[in-house]
Amino acid sequence: MSRDRCEVNWIIPTRGANASTGTVKWDPVHSLWNGGMLGVALIAGPATFTWSAFAVFVILTGAAVLLGHSVGFHRLLIHGSFKTKPLIAKFLVWAGTVAGMSGPLWIIRTHDLRDWAQREPVCHPYLAHGKSILHDAWWQLHCTLQLDCPPDYDLRSVERERFYRFLEKTWMLQQMPIAIILWLVGGWGWVVWGVCARVAITVHGHWFVGYLAHNVGPQSWIVESSGVQAHDVPWAAIPTMGEAWHNNHHAYPGSARMGLKPGQLDLGFLFICCLEKAGLAWDICLPEAMPERRNSLREV
């Protein structure tokens, strides 16, 4: 794993790797999961709506996105932008799995393939969110890209963690304990809203903000060497826990802080700061620790 936190950490130099040519194929596992969760939410959600079920939906969605997707998966596992105690790291990665997109190994591969490809001069439109919004929705939520000449990964440090391998194999089943608790406390309405609607909005919201973040919105930086540039999505700063400051993230990928300018709320970074004050997080990477990165950036 590279020491440079602005590098793509889990992909290793691969001779002949090409980001531009490949075939998009239907991914039955994620397609049926994503479509099934959305279908149950749309059909059963209105029939089971209560304000308590909606409150469960809001609280659990926020917790899974904050603790799991933003802090656990993205800033900790993928980018290594801070360090924490092993048990806390495992909890945060479990929370990321519970967010419902997939297991930790799949998330790393999917993220870093896109990260690597967008830094190439030309990349496949699947990886650049380069098609129309409906076309991209079908691709991202129901399909996978098989590159003709893909890069290699070095995931040994993650794969040797038995708990992470367990999460990878059982990522769908991780919803079951939550569903059982919700059913015992609040009945089927809490299950529909606390599991199905939560997973559906997380998955589809993640895609939608990602699509916007690579197509439209304000920019502060241009990464000179990258074929695909990013945009910020300011209205999504709160629901994404700061992940929507995506132009900032492309500028400083290894930074634990994504809201870099005054007024850019970043709840994920604030949570990491709380961990630091409690003595549970350290070695937190910030842009000022990467002055050499400025050589690759042009302010706009």
Side-chain angles (χ1 to χ4, degrees):
M1 182 172 174
S2 175
R3 291 289 182 181
D4 184 348
R5 286 161 166 172
C6 281
E7 292 297 321
V8 182
N9 285 328
W10 302 99
I11 284 179
I12 58 178
T14 307
R15 193 172 193 178
N18 188 324
S20 64
T21 60
T23 305
V24 179
K25 295 185 177 181
W26 182 53
D27 178 354
V29 173
H30 290 90
S31 178
L32 294 174
W33 174 259
N34 295 338
M37 286 293 177
L38 180 63
V40 172
L42 292 176
I43 295 169
T48 59
F49 177 85
T50 62
W51 286 111
S52 65
F54 184 72
V56 167
F57 161 76
V58 172
I59 293 169
L60 292 186
T61 301
V65 173
L66 172 63
L67 302 177
H69 174 70
S70 178
V71 176
F73 269 177
H74 196 198
R75 308 191 203 210
L76 177 62
L77 184 63
I78 291 172
H79 287 289
S81 62
F82 72 99
K83 293 180 182 178
T84 187
K85 294 181 180 296
L87 284 179
I88 293 177
K90 288 180 172 61
F91 169 75
L92 294 173
V93 172
W94 171 82
T97 305
V98 167
M101 283 185 277
S102 201
L105 296 174
W106 185 92
I107 290 289
I108 289 174
R109 291 191 184 97
T110 299
H111 175 281
D112 274 19
L113 180 66
R114 189 179 306 278
D115 197 351
W116 164 77
Q118 290 179 356
R119 300 180 190 208
E120 294 292 295
V122 179
C123 76
H124 194 283
Y126 176 98
L127 297 167
H129 293 280
K131 292 290 188 178
S132 70
I133 189 168
L134 293 180
H135 194 149
D136 193 69
W138 170 252
W139 270 7
Q140 304 299 330
L141 296 168
H142 299 278
C143 301
T144 188
L145 173 66
Q146 295 181 0
L147 287 175
D148 295 335
C149 300
D152 292 327
Y153 297 82
D154 184 359
L155 298 174
R156 288 173 294 179
S157 63
V158 179
E159 290 173 335
R160 65 170 156 256
E161 290 283 353
R162 183 159 47 176
F163 182 64
Y164 293 163
R165 297 199 308 272
F166 169 73
L167 292 179
E168 184 69 18
K169 292 178 180 178
T170 64
W171 66 272
M172 294 184 186
L173 295 177
Q174 295 303 315
Q175 305 298 333
M176 289 301 297
I178 298 173
I180 291 171
I181 293 171
L182 293 177
W183 180 75
L184 290 173
V185 176
W188 286 112
W190 280 31
V191 175
V192 170
W193 283 88
V195 175
C196 300
R198 169 179 59 79
V199 171
I201 196 65
T202 300
V203 171
H204 289 77
H206 177 264
W207 158 74
F208 182 58
V209 173
Y211 179 83
L212 295 179
H214 293 95
N215 285 282
V216 62
Q219 294 177 304
S220 300
W221 322 89
I222 296 295
V223 183
E224 297 283 8
S225 59
S226 295
V228 177
Q229 301 298 324
H231 303 258
D232 291 330
V233 189
W235 63 264
I238 292 177
T240 63
M241 306 301 165
E243 297 286 326
W245 305 115
H246 203 63
N247 180 249
N248 293 342
H249 178 58
H250 270 226
Y252 293 98
S255 174
R257 183 176 186 176
M258 298 184 188
L260 299 181
K261 296 192 173 183
Q264 293 184 340
L265 182 62
D266 185 351
L267 295 175
F269 179 66
L270 292 178
F271 177 77
I272 294 171
C273 289
C274 291
L275 290 179
E276 182 185 32
K277 289 180 180 179
L280 300 175
W282 58 92
D283 195 15
I284 299 172
C285 186
L286 297 174
E288 46 265 37
M290 298 174 281
E292 70 284 354
R293 181 66 174 170
R294 298 284 298 188
N295 298 328
S296 302
L297 303 176
R298 174 167 56 88
E299 290 195 55
V300 295

